């Protein structure tokens, strides 16, 4: 399940990973979009991933419908590297999610790497003690496939 504030690029990541497409035309996700993609694993097997792209919320992740989250094997919290206000609640949101869904694999992903200076933003995140698993750009396709392939491996452990 892809989670995070409004406008951070969840749908763009979703479309880049599943369909290898990117569009400048922004369309708000209402409810949830669901797509499936098979991912090759290093041992030769394939993992069929069902990805849920949820609507964004401006306040916090607790507004996400529980029906979108129940039964998840992984939750990916996405924030916008170019908008610091989108990572102000990451730590509290992660605490909430880990408490409510203790068996789920959690990842934090900073998107829109193409819009920032990587060195500066990395230092800013470090200074604020924000745990980040990957920095991506759905627009340029930077690190998107690697992130989801690594997630697939983690899901099989």
């Amino acid at each position: 399940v892809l989670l995070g504030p409004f406008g951070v690029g969840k749908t763009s990541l979703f479309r880049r990973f599943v369909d290898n497409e990117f569009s400048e035309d922004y369309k708000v996700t209402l409810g949830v979009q669901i797509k499936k993609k098979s991912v090759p694993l290093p041992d030769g097997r394939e993992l069929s991933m069902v990805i849920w792209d949820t609507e964004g919320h401006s306040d916090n992740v607790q507004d996400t419908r529980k029906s979108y989250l129940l039964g998840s094997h992984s939750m990916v919290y996405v924030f916008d590297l170019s908008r610091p206000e989108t990572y102000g609640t990451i730590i509290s949101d992660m605490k909430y999610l880990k408490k409510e869904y203790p068996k789920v694999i959690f990842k934090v992903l900073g998107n829109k790497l193409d819009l920032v200076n990587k060195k500066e933003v990395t230092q800013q995140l470090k200074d604020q003690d924000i745990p980040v698993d990957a920095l991506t750009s759905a627009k340029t396709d930077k690190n998107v496939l690697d992130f989801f392939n690594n997630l697939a491996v983690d899901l099989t452990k």
Side-chain angles (χ1 to χ4, degrees):
V1 177
L2 300 176
L3 302 165
F6 177 81
V8 296
K10 294 181 299 295
T11 299
S12 293
L13 285 164
F14 176 78
R15 292 186 66 215
R16 173 60 78 183
F17 173 63
V18 177
D19 302 322
N20 197 26
E21 295 177 358
F22 179 83
S23 174
E24 294 282 349
D25 295 333
Y26 181 75
K27 293 182 180 164
V28 175
T29 302
L30 300 175
V32 67
Q33 290 185 58
I34 303 169
K35 288 193 177 185
K36 183 175 169 181
K37 180 168 180 165
S38 291
V39 178
L41 297 169
D43 64 7
R45 295 179 299 149
E46 282 195 353
L47 177 68
S48 182
M49 296 178 76
V50 179
I51 312 290
W52 290 48
D53 172 25
T54 63
E55 60 191 334
H57 295 283
S58 57
D59 296 320
N60 63 47
V61 78
Q62 294 182 36
D63 293 335
T64 304
R65 294 181 191 182
K66 292 196 185 292
S67 61
Y68 297 163
L69 305 177
L70 292 173
S72 300
H73 296 284
S74 175
M75 294 179 189
V76 179
Y77 188 99
V78 182
F79 68 97
D80 182 340
L81 292 165
S82 70
R83 293 178 24 228
E85 65 273 15
T86 67
Y87 43 94
T89 62
I90 291 173
I91 294 171
S92 61
D93 286 346
M94 293 306 290
K95 284 180 185 176
Y96 165 79
L97 290 168
K98 287 179 180 182
K99 180 180 173 232
E100 294 294 315
Y101 308 94
K103 295 181 180 182
V104 173
I105 294 172
F106 294 96
K107 300 288 182 182
V108 177
L109 185 137
N111 190 37
K112 302 188 183 181
L113 185 57
D114 56 296
L115 299 178
V116 298
N117 177 300
K118 182 179 179 182
K119 187 175 180 178
E120 288 176 12
V121 79
T122 301
Q123 186 60 51
Q124 187 178 19
L125 295 168
K126 185 178 176 181
D127 291 346
Q128 294 181 41
D129 292 324
I130 296 174
V132 179
D133 295 289
L135 303 178
T136 62
S137 169
K139 183 176 184 177
T140 66
D141 201 16
K142 178 81 171 171
N143 299 329
V144 176
L145 187 58
D146 288 343
F147 172 78
F148 282 101
N149 284 341
N150 290 334
L151 177 59
V153 170
D154 289 348
L155 285 166
T156 62
K157 291 180 182 177

